[in-house]
């Protein structure tokens, strides 16, 4: 019998130069750059370029990259026709997963895995994900999709296409911070999924479709939605103590947006997001959601159960407040996560292609042996 690492915890299955997560120190870097610097100085496109090309772009390269994304941002009629037939109450991440799969249907180069073509498809995937997200957010409300503004960046465009309003610089900055923080996180479940699919030499659209399936669960990318729903259930900062006593302590309910497989200290992304969520809340004169989040976090941090297990707020905790303050409904939050993570997924798929070996772990068989065959009529 071999020792089984349930959930592959602590198992190193590949090498990467994309991002480094130090779970004990609470430190995250992309290609060697600290997320604290990236969220202070860069925008999402600069970060995506860094991940994809392994270095920061110069001004010319960044402009080219942004223009290249801009020219690919277009919602062709065949997508709108199909979207109009989708049931409006379907989970939006299921819609996005289906549309990304469809993107492969309409790409004649889908099965060409050469590096140059893959890079082009990577740009395409980064450009289309916000388009699909915003278009569905409007179509399901009975509104017409808004074409992107080619003169603004991805974060500003997402907010504009979603609401139809020009976002404020503070809103764009907050969304850029969020997207940068979501851009990569080593071998998380959805990224691992994408690499497993890519390792079979399957196409990039299949790999991303599979990643979106892994992202959907509330233990991963669905956690921001579940967190915001929990805050809405609490409803008011005054209800936080009774929620903590009755639901968390009394009924053993998990605090959504808390806990992490790798971090055994504060998730560094949560620290940055807390500051931005608080600023947005104060600027909007609506601090209700931030106050609920901060109140619940304070109670958990002082509680022996959470202290002993070293469970802290993760990236989804304050990001749910931040996204809600930007007008993103809870069930769209996992899609905005996907928009950010797209840079990381495509980077890892390209990395997998460069030194590919089929990912094929093994399982310890613990079932019965030597069973005697019983004929169908005798069972
Ligand atoms: N609230 C209360 N208790 C918790 C929480 C939480 N949020 N998270 C973990 N615990 C407890 C578990 O019940 C378990 O207790 P036990 O030792 O008494 O059995 C212990 O902490 C260890 O938890 P596991 O679930 O075994 O840890 P694992 O590494 O497998 O799971 C996970 C991590 C899935 C993230 C978990 O913490 C969780 O479900 N959190 C809530 C959902 C969430 O926020 N997910 C987003 C993660 S970040 C991301 O993917 C983007």
């Amino acid at each position: 019998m071999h020792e089984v690492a349930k959930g592959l915890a602590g198992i190193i299955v590949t090498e990467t130069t994309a991002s480094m997560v130090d779970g004990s120190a609470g430190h995250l870097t992309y290609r060697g750059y600290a997320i604290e610097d990236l969220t202070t100085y860069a925008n999402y496109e600069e970060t995506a370029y860094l991940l994809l090309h392994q270095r920061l772009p110069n001004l010319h390269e960044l402009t080219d990259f942004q223009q290249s994304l801009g020219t690919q941002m277009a919602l062709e009629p065949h997508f709108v026709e199909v979207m109009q037939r989708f049931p409006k109450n379907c989970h939006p991440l299921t819609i996005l997963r289906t549309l990304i799969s469809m993107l492969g249907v309409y790409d004649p180069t889908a099965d060409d895995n050469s590096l140059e073509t893959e890079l082009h498809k990577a740009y395409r995937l980064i450009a289309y994900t916000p388009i699909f997200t915003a278009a569905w957010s409007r179509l399901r409300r009975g509104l017409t999709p808004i074409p992107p503004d080619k003169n603004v960046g991805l974060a500003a465009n997402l907010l504009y296409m979603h609401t139809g309003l020009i976002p404020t610089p503070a809103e764009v900055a907050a969304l850029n911070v969020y997207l940068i923080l979501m851009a990569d996180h080593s071998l998380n479940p959805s990224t691992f999924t994408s690499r497993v699919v890519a390792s079979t030499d399957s196409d990039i659209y299949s790999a991303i479709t599979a990643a979106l399936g892994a992202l959907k669960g509330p233990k991963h990318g669905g956690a921001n939605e579940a967190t915001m729903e929990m805050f809405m259930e609490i409803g008011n900062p005054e209800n936080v103590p009774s929620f903590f006593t009755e639901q968390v302590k009394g009924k053993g309910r998990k605090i959504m947006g808390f806990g992490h497989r790798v971090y055994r200290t504060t998730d560094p992304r949560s620290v940055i997001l807390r500051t931005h969520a608080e600023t947005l809340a104060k600027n909007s004169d609506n601090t209700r959601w931030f106050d609920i989040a901060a109140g619940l976090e304070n109670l958990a941090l002082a509680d022996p159960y959470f202290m002993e297990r070293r469970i802290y707020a993760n990236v989804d905790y304050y990001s749910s407040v931040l996204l809600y303050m930007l007008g993103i409904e809870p069930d769209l939050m996992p899609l905005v996560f996907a928009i950010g993570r797209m840079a990381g997924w495509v980077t890892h798929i390209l990395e997998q292609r460069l030194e590919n070996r089929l990912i094929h772990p093994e399982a310890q068989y613990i079932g019965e042996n030597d069973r005697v065959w019983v004929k169908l009529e005798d069972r």
Side-chain angles (χ1 to χ4, degrees):
M1 292 289 257
H2 300 278
E3 199 182 321
V4 176
K6 283 273 170 79
L8 294 180
I11 302 290
I12 312 283
V13 299
T14 192
E15 292 170 330
T16 182
T17 61
S19 61
M20 194 273 300
V21 184
D22 183 338
S24 358
H27 192 45
L28 172 62
T29 58
Y30 299 163
R31 303 275 188 212
Y33 293 97
I35 52 161
E36 288 76 10
D37 282 341
L38 288 162
T39 49
T40 306
Y41 304 115
N43 64 13
Y44 176 69
E45 288 91 321
E46 218 170 334
T47 308
Y49 188 101
L50 168 69
L51 285 167
L52 271 169
H53 296 275
Q54 307 178 28
R55 62 173 177 81
L56 287 169
N58 61 33
L59 188 59
H60 176 69
E61 288 164 334
L62 180 60
T63 312
D64 264 9
F65 181 53
Q66 283 171 323
Q67 276 171 357
S68 174
L69 293 181
T71 49
Q72 301 198 50
M73 279 186 155
L75 191 66
E76 292 97 333
H78 50 260
F79 287 114
V80 181
E81 280 160 29
V82 171
M83 287 165 97
Q84 275 162 341
R85 289 197 215 115
F86 287 149
K88 303 273 183 291
N89 59 357
C90 182
H91 194 283
L93 198 63
T94 302
I95 303 284
L96 178 65
R97 193 196 63 213
T98 306
L99 291 167
I100 292 291
S101 186
M102 232 182 114
L103 204 55
V105 173
Y106 289 97
D107 184 350
T109 70
D111 293 313
D112 176 353
N113 293 348
S114 65
L115 194 60
E116 202 184 323
T117 319
E118 285 286 79
L119 203 53
H120 179 74
K121 286 182 270 180
Y123 285 21
R124 193 164 184 252
L125 281 154
I126 293 171
Y128 267 92
T129 314
I131 293 275
F132 286 152
T133 300
W136 180 248
S137 89
R138 294 185 69 82
L139 281 167
R140 72 171 181 166
R141 285 179 280 156
L143 303 170
T144 312
I146 297 175
D149 178 350
K150 309 267 182 203
N151 300 312
V152 300
L154 191 142
N157 243 323
L158 176 64
L159 292 172
Y160 167 64
M161 291 186 292
H162 174 58
T163 61
L165 306 169
I166 309 265
T168 65
E171 289 169 334
V172 177
L175 186 57
N176 260 310
V177 164
Y178 173 74
L179 294 174
I180 290 169
L181 291 176
M182 303 321 288
D184 197 34
H185 204 258
S186 196
L187 219 56
N188 59 85
S190 55
T191 302
F192 180 56
T193 304
S194 75
R195 287 188 79 132
V196 171
V197 177
S199 84
T200 70
D201 283 345
S202 181
D203 68 286
I204 196 168
Y205 297 104
S206 298
I208 298 294
T209 303
L212 285 162
L215 188 79
K216 191 177 172 210
K219 285 190 171 166
H220 187 23
N224 50 15
E225 174 184 359
T227 305
M228 194 61 223
E229 280 168 353
M230 179 185 71
F231 294 150
M232 288 169 145
E233 182 189 334
I234 296 171
N236 208 301
E238 287 88 74
N239 299 336
V240 169
S242 59
F243 179 85
F244 188 70
T245 311
E246 289 160 25
Q247 299 294 326
V248 181
K249 303 299 292 179
K251 295 191 177 151
R253 259 178 77 174
K254 275 190 174 176
I255 299 184
M256 298 314 288
F258 254 67
H260 199 277
R261 169 60 61 82
V262 183
Y263 291 116
R264 286 289 164 255
T265 181
T266 312
D267 181 336
R269 300 167 297 177
S270 155
V271 178
I272 300 171
L273 287 162
R274 183 189 158 116
T275 310
H276 286 273
E278 185 172 18
T279 307
L280 275 184
K282 286 190 172 149
N283 289 348
S284 75
D285 284 334
N286 175 10
T287 60
R288 172 160 49 143
W289 307 112
F290 178 81
D291 291 343
I292 290 173
L296 188 58
E297 184 189 29
N298 289 341
L299 289 179
L301 290 182
D303 187 90
Y305 175 91
F306 289 86
M307 287 159 84
E308 279 158 20
R309 288 168 181 74
R310 296 202 272 169
I311 306 170
Y312 301 90
N314 63 46
V315 69
D316 291 311
Y317 195 72
Y318 284 104
S319 66
S320 67
V321 176
L322 181 144
L323 293 175
Y324 200 65
M325 300 307 301
L326 293 175
I328 311 284
E329 298 96 319
D331 65 351
L332 287 176
M333 291 176 184
L335 285 75
V336 187
F337 185 151
I339 292 169
R341 187 55 55 85
M342 191 57 74
W345 287 332
V346 292
T347 297
H348 278 267
I349 291 167
L350 293 180
E351 200 174 56
Q352 184 68 36
R353 296 246 192 265
L354 281 176
E355 281 196 41
N356 187 33
R357 186 160 192 229
L358 179 71
I359 298 174
H360 188 323
E362 292 178 42
Q364 180 80 58
Y365 179 68
I366 54 163
E368 292 182 51
N369 287 311
D370 303 324
R371 298 179 81 181
V372 178
W373 180 256
V374 182
K375 282 193 278 181
L376 186 59
E377 56 272 28
D378 297 336
R379 282 176 228 159

